[in-house]
């Protein structure tokens, strides 16, 4: 029995030794093959050694190179050894930043550059268009909607009831019609005269309605005490819209003039003039949205921008905000008519005046 066990142990030890030797030699052969494998060949590709403005001629001193493996797709790139034949003397269609690989769509002949337009048109994706809308400090998140920001657009409207035939605001004005019809003792009249009743401000009285007085149980005719109050409504109309520019784009003539003038530093003790606050913002939208925005601009809508997060591409379905929606959504009760009230009388909500309101914050 003991001899049998000894032979079994020896056999196991021998198998483990053979397996270890096999793995050792296999790894050694792999290492030798990897060491013997030749390094991939590198190809020098042209890059911008310094920033190249749009429309500038490409010269030898603005070009540099980087090395890429031979298997890279060089379809639209330029090899560094061919730069003089293919690149030098061409013109940049778009602004090319330093370190960017120069490709064929970025360059062209002098005549082709003139048709590409200003440099910011390259920021507009195909199928999209840019439109400008008025803005203010309140409607632009305190001017936080800088170039390249993503925003939502909220539109607010005022609606009134109108007469569909006259296309005028209700209620209509009343007038008197005389000398119409036939009288037995007189010749028939084929014409009628219309005269409007006179009020303190406008000719004609506003059309009212008949109601039954609850005390005397007599019908009375009542007219409105003021003009019809418009009913506001607000809704988010566009989401995840890109801001192309906050403020005015530079005009070519102004750019040339500014480049030729040297800025005069302010005298010691003088405060430099504050820059003009932007009153316009340009958005990148679809052609249909641009048409809708144009209608809203001329239709009296008030537009407000809200700033989105940098990586937020979500879409949230919103409900239009009306007085009825606010009362029900936020459980706001309509105040009851009580036999007492505050003194002094409150007809408008006025923000309290604070001591520091007149003090300008330090810049």
């Amino acid at each position: 029995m003991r001899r049998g066990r000894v032979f079994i142990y020896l056999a196991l030890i021998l198998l483990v030794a053979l397996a270890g030797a096999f793995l050792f030699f296999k790894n050694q052969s792999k290492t030798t093959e990897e060491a013997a494998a030749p390094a991939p060949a590198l190809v020098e590709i042209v890059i911008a050694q310094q920033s190249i403005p749009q429309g500038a001629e490409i010269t030898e001193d603005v070009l540099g190179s980087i090395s890429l493996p031979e298997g890279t797709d060089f379809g639209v790139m330029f090899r560094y050894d061919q730069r003089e034949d293919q690149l030098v003397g061409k013109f940049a269609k778009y602004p090319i930043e330093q370190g960017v690989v120069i490709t064929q769509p970025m360059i062209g002949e002098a005549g082709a550059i003139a048709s590409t337009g200003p440099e910011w048109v390259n920021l507009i994706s195909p199928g999209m268009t840019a439109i400008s809308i008025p803005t203010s400090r309140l409607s632009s998140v305190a001017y936080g909607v800088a170039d390249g920001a993503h925003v939502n657009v909220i539109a607010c409207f005022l609606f009134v009831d109108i007469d569909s035939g006259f296309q005028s605001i209700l209620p209509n004005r009343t007038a008197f019609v005389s000398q119409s019809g036939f009288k037995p003792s007189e010749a028939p009249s084929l014409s009628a005269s219309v005269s409007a009743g006179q009020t303190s401000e406008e000719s004609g009285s506003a059309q009212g309605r008949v109601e039954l007085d609850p005390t005397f149980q007599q019908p009375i005719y009542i007219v409105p005490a003021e003009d019809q109050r418009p009913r506001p409504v607000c809704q988010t109309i566009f989401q995840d819209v890109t801001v192309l520019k906050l403020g005015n784009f530079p005009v070519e003539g102004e750019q040339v003039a500014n480049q030729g003038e040297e800025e005069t530093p302010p005298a010691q003790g003088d405060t430099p003039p504050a820059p003009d606050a932007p009153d316009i913002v340009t958005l990148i939208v679809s052609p249909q949205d641009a048409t809708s925005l144009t209608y809203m601009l001329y239709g009296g809508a008030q537009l407000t921008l809200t700033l989105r997060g940098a990586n937020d591409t979500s879409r949230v379905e919103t409900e239009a905000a009306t007085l009825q929606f606010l009362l029900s959504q936020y459980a706001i009760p309509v105040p009851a008519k009580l036999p007492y009230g505050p003194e002094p009388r409150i007809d408008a909500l006025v923000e309290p005046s604070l001591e520091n309101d007149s003090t300008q914050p330090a810049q």
Side-chain angles (χ1 to χ4, degrees), residues 54-110:
Q54 183 183 23
E57 183 178 359
I58 297 177
T59 57
E60 180 75 26
D61 58 338
V62 301
L63 302 179
S65 66
I66 59 171
S67 299
L68 297 179
E70 179 67 42
T72 307
D73 184 10
F74 303 111
V76 294
M77 303 179 187
F78 296 96
R79 294 176 181 264
Y80 189 72
D81 56 359
Q82 300 175 353
R83 63 190 183 283
E84 295 185 0
D85 298 333
Q86 299 181 351
L87 271 176
V88 175
K90 305 292 184 179
F91 293 84
K93 289 183 178 180
Y94 318 111
I96 304 175
E97 299 295 332
Q98 182 180 6
V100 174
V101 175
I102 300 178
T103 59
Q104 294 178 6
M106 296 180 180
I107 65 166
E109 301 294 340

Side-chain angles (χ1 to χ4, degrees), residues 47-267:
I47 64 170
Q49 187 169 309
Q50 61 189 44
S51 297
I52 305 174
Q54 183 183 23
E57 183 178 359
I58 297 177
T59 57
E60 180 75 26
D61 58 338
V62 301
L63 302 179
S65 66
I66 59 171
S67 299
L68 297 179
E70 179 67 42
T72 307
D73 184 10
F74 303 111
V76 294
M77 303 179 187
F78 296 96
R79 294 176 181 264
Y80 189 72
D81 56 359
Q82 300 175 353
R83 63 190 183 283
E84 295 185 0
D85 298 333
Q86 299 181 351
L87 271 176
V88 175
K90 305 292 184 179
F91 293 84
K93 289 183 178 180
Y94 318 111
I96 304 175
E97 299 295 332
Q98 182 180 6
V100 174
V101 175
I102 300 178
T103 59
Q104 294 178 6
M106 296 180 180
I107 65 166
E109 301 294 340
I113 306 302
S115 62
T116 60
E119 61 183 74
W120 48 83
V121 300
N122 304 310
L123 302 175
I124 304 175
S125 302
M128 305 295 284
T129 186
I131 184 173
S132 297
I133 61 174
T135 190
S136 64
R137 187 163 67 98
L138 178 62
S139 63
S140 62
V141 200
Y143 304 126
V145 290
D147 302 357
H150 288 245
V151 298
N152 291 351
V153 182
I154 300 175
C156 293
F157 307 85
L158 295 177
F159 290 97
V160 294
D161 296 325
I162 66 172
D163 185 294
S164 59
F166 292 126
Q167 287 294 294
S168 59
I169 189 173
L170 292 176
N172 290 323
R173 299 280 170 181
T174 58
F176 300 100
V177 180
S178 59
Q179 294 183 356
S180 62
F182 298 91
K183 294 183 179 180
S185 60
E186 299 179 4
S189 176
L190 300 181
S191 63
S193 61
V194 179
S195 60
Q198 299 296 320
T199 63
S200 59
E201 296 182 357
E202 301 180 4
S203 59
S205 175
Q207 183 180 2
R209 63 175 182 269
V210 177
E211 289 189 359
L212 187 65
D213 183 86
T215 303
F216 299 101
Q217 296 295 311
Q218 295 293 327
I220 56 175
Y221 189 77
I222 61 175
V223 293
E226 60 180 351
D227 291 335
Q228 183 184 160
R229 296 189 180 188
R231 299 185 296 279
V233 58
C234 296
Q235 175 63 299
T236 298
I237 53 175
F238 306 130
Q239 299 189 32
D240 198 18
V241 176
T242 302
V243 176
L244 180 61
K245 180 72 175 178
L246 177 64
N248 297 323
F249 289 99
V251 181
E252 184 175 356
E254 294 179 355
Q255 279 184 307
V256 175
N258 293 336
Q259 291 175 359
E261 298 177 359
E262 294 183 0
E263 294 186 2
T264 304

